[in-house]
Amino acid sequence: MPQEITQELIMEMAQHGVLYGHKKTKTHPKMKVHVGANRNEVELLKPESIIESLEAVTAFLKESVAQKRLVLIVATKTASKEAAQKFADTFGFPSVTTRWLGGTITNFPIIKERIKYYLELKRKRESGELEKYTKKERVDFDKEITKLEIKFEGLVRLERTPDVIFIVDTQDKSHRTAIREAQQKNIPIVGIIDTDDNPDDLTHPIFANDHARASISWIMEKITEGIQEGGGEDTKQDEEAKPSEET
């Protein structure tokens, strides 16, 4: 049953900045239908558009979790990193919160090999296998592991090409690359977008402020609550599940 849009709910969204888009001059033509007002030259999103899109995406992601689909979370901007990583950890999803690596989707076998190399190098350090090297060589290994960790730690759970990709803010340059790669592979794209974005870039858009920490956190929390509702602990993906065969 659709959530009733009460005055209290509108106030809650306003307090978290969820309603706010960008200046009118930046509004994408296809987003005008989702604009309900303008305040001091800043476009305000319609509460109906926010709630309806949020509920639709939550239902889609809840089904995805139930079906053990692999959802890749992409959020590299400072305002979105923390909430996105928390969401990814809650459901055992892989994530990209530093920089999108070109080919993560379209050239996944190469990315997978780099992830395996990173994990093996880290294992060797933890097991003491690198102690046989000189101090300088061990320092070089430590530096290499640190660099690889930044690139690949969030992708350790990406055991196969993702079934869904979830992007926070489509305007980021590296996010544009992620969108193109997902489109090439016909992978459904979920995303939080506001008035300066093209909704046609996504198969499942959420209309909300995508550049404010409070707004992003509010959206991610609502999705988390919706997915977990009636699901309990069973909603978290089994990270040890056997990956699908590569095609």
Side-chain angles (χ1 to χ4, degrees):
M1 183 177 179
Q3 182 176 3
E4 181 184 359
I5 302 177
T6 63
Q7 192 61 37
E8 287 75 15
L9 178 58
I10 294 173
M11 286 298 296
E12 181 181 346
M13 289 191 288
Q15 289 169 358
H16 287 84
V18 182
L19 300 169
Y20 296 96
H22 295 269
K23 289 186 176 181
K24 187 175 182 179
T25 54
K26 293 185 177 182
T27 300
H28 192 283
K30 293 185 178 181
M31 283 298 295
K32 290 180 179 179
V33 67
H34 300 293
V35 173
N38 183 286
R39 181 178 298 172
N40 298 323
E41 291 301 310
V42 174
E43 302 280 51
L44 302 182
L45 290 159
K46 291 179 180 177
E48 295 82 5
S49 291
I50 295 171
I51 297 303
E52 288 173 9
S53 62
L54 177 58
E55 290 181 341
V57 166
T58 299
F60 172 72
L61 290 176
K62 185 168 186 174
E63 180 188 8
S64 296
V65 170
Q67 296 295 323
K68 301 296 183 184
R69 295 176 189 144
L70 190 58
V71 182
L72 175 58
I73 311 300
V74 182
T76 64
K77 291 191 173 182
T78 302
S80 60
K81 287 183 180 183
E82 185 177 347
Q85 190 60 58
K86 180 180 178 181
F87 181 79
D89 291 341
T90 297
F91 298 106
F93 292 149
S95 62
V96 175
T97 57
T98 51
R99 181 176 65 86
W100 178 264
L101 299 175
T104 296
I105 292 176
T106 54
N107 200 13
F108 179 68
I110 299 299
I111 296 295
K112 187 175 182 179
E113 286 302 312
R114 295 298 292 162
I115 294 171
K116 286 173 63 177
Y117 173 73
Y118 158 62
L119 292 175
E120 179 64 12
L121 197 59
K122 192 165 71 167
R123 183 197 66 76
K124 286 182 178 180
R125 183 176 66 178
E126 293 171 352
S127 68
E129 291 180 47
L130 299 182
E131 291 301 315
K132 63 184 178 182
Y133 294 96
T134 66
K135 182 177 180 180
K136 181 183 182 303
E137 288 172 326
R138 293 198 304 272
V139 169
D140 289 340
F141 278 127
D142 286 340
K143 289 180 180 179
E144 184 178 11
I145 290 171
T146 298
K147 290 180 180 179
L148 291 171
E149 183 177 26
I150 293 171
K151 291 181 178 180
F152 298 113
E153 183 61 33
L155 294 176
V156 168
R157 296 167 179 155
L158 192 66
E159 297 181 327
R160 63 181 190 273
T161 303
D163 303 305
V164 179
I165 184 169
F166 185 164
I167 298 179
V168 181
D169 190 350
T170 62
Q171 288 296 316
D172 184 87
K173 185 177 180 180
S174 67
H175 293 184
R176 300 300 308 167
T177 303
I179 289 171
R180 285 194 295 271
E181 291 192 28
Q183 289 172 338
Q184 287 179 37
K185 294 294 184 178
N186 294 315
I187 295 173
I189 308 171
V190 170
I192 302 175
I193 60 172
D194 61 24
T195 56
D196 65 337
D197 299 299
N198 182 357
D200 289 349
D201 285 336
L202 309 175
T203 51
H204 303 277
I206 301 170
F207 304 114
N209 183 339
D210 63 6
H211 54 277
R213 190 188 304 270
S215 171
I216 295 166
S217 295
W218 188 86
I219 291 292
M220 301 304 271
E221 287 170 7
K222 292 298 181 183
I223 296 174
T224 299
E225 291 171 5
I227 294 174
Q228 292 179 329
E229 186 178 25
E233 294 301 316
D234 293 336
T235 56
K236 185 165 183 176
Q237 291 199 344
D238 182 358
E239 294 176 28
E240 296 181 357
K242 184 172 74 174
S244 300
E245 294 293 327
E246 288 295 318
T247 56

